Amino acid sequence: MARRAPRRPTCSSLGAAHRALRVLEVVHRHIGGVRLTQIARETGLGQLHLNQALQQLVRAQLAAPIIPGVYSAGSALQLAAADRDRMGELRETLGYLRDAVGAAVYVASYTEGEVSITQYADGPRTPAVHEWVDFREAAHASAVGKALLAQLGPDERRNHLNRYRMEQFTPHTITSPEVLFDELDDRRPGQPLLDLQEYTLGTVCAAVPLGTGTDPQCVALSLPTPDPDRLQQAARVLRNEAVAVVLALLVAGDDLRTPTEAATGRR
């Protein structure tokens, strides 16, 4: 069981988030605005990575162009500094991500040994998955649970499965710890974890680990259709946009344990 140490999340989207944070630090220090050349000098980033970071920050409203080549703090950063509606940016980000992937999206964490959905965004055309079994008891069968377990060490994984047996919910559910741990460990860095009708028939899910905060976290999506091509396409967008969720989580802070529906019904 868990023959090797798990791979910590090191996907390219998290690398992009770290670069964006370096740019954000420079923008935040220069209250009246800072030129692109100065940002490049202070961060040491090349033109491509710098442009990508600024695009992410502008989209997240953490930075804003004043004039061509000059940037200042964005509206979301100003609100966070004033301690007003710190969760608003996360709700907007999840609403945007829901529309981008065409599916309900979730943020989840593994806190004090339990799987917890902390935020989600759904809508009439993007329904949330029906929780017919408590997600705390179904980590082995859900993309969310797999993405969180992938960030734990062998002993923590064994402890979790000792508390929650690997029940078979559908004919596709993995019930072998060996098979589950191989799936968690034998994947490329940043590759989404999948639930291929393992939690409930007719629904597929994907989740991307997020290396933020002290507790394991992930962002996930669910599709009420077993279409593999649609899942792969949505999972690709989810992975590429995970950096926006990381930035929104950092703005929101650590108090993310109360589930809140984000931007419901705007599609």
Side-chain angles (χ1 to χ4, degrees), residues 2-242:
R3 295 184 300 275
R4 61 181 74 83
R7 296 176 180 173
R8 296 294 175 178
T10 56
C11 68
S12 58
S13 62
L14 295 183
H18 294 153
R19 290 190 291 271
L21 288 175
R22 287 161 61 186
V23 173
L24 186 60
E25 289 175 359
V26 175
V27 172
H28 189 256
R29 284 200 304 269
H30 296 267
I31 299 176
V34 57
R35 291 188 177 278
L36 194 61
T37 52
Q38 182 65 26
I39 300 174
R41 187 177 303 113
E42 294 191 31
T43 60
L45 294 176
Q47 184 176 359
L48 178 61
H49 282 156
L50 181 57
N51 288 339
Q52 290 174 340
L54 282 168
Q55 287 174 7
Q56 291 287 352
L57 293 173
V58 170
R59 180 187 296 174
Q61 299 180 31
L62 293 171
I66 303 175
I67 58 174
V70 179
Y71 292 83
S72 66
S75 59
L77 190 61
Q78 294 167 2
L79 285 172
D83 201 32
R84 298 194 304 270
D85 194 21
R86 297 172 68 89
M87 298 300 296
E89 173 61 24
L90 180 58
R91 289 191 291 268
E92 289 187 12
T93 297
L94 293 182
Y96 159 80
L97 185 56
R98 175 203 60 205
D99 295 342
V101 301
V105 295
Y106 315 79
V107 173
S109 69
Y110 192 82
T111 306
E112 298 179 354
E114 302 292 352
V115 173
S116 175
I117 304 294
T118 56
Q119 298 285 322
Y120 68 98
D122 67 350
R125 296 170 58 188
T126 55
V129 65
H130 172 57
E131 187 179 1
W132 72 281
V133 174
D134 194 317
F135 286 130
R136 291 175 297 182
E137 302 175 11
H140 65 288
S142 67
V144 160
K146 291 179 184 181
L148 297 175
L149 291 177
Q151 300 176 63
L152 301 181
D155 291 341
E156 292 173 297
R157 290 180 184 176
R158 279 193 290 268
N159 177 270
H160 184 90
L161 295 182
N162 285 336
R163 290 183 290 115
Y164 297 108
R165 294 180 56 190
M166 298 179 69
E167 301 286 351
Q168 185 167 10
F169 303 131
T170 78
H172 308 287
T173 305
I174 296 173
T175 57
S176 164
E178 290 282 344
V179 174
L180 175 64
F181 293 159
D182 282 344
E183 179 180 335
L184 301 184
D185 296 331
D186 295 340
R187 64 185 183 88
R188 297 186 303 275
Q191 180 180 358
L193 282 302
L194 302 179
D195 160 14
L196 302 176
Q197 302 187 78
E198 297 165 51
Y199 177 74
T200 188
L201 291 176
T203 297
V204 292
C205 307
V208 176
L210 300 177
T212 62
T214 57
D215 297 324
Q217 290 181 299
C218 70
V219 59
L221 65 86
S222 66
L223 287 169
T225 173
D227 185 339
D229 292 335
R230 185 178 173 190
L231 177 63
Q232 291 296 332
Q233 181 180 6
R236 191 178 306 113
V237 176
L238 183 75
R239 176 183 175 179
N240 292 340
E241 297 296 337

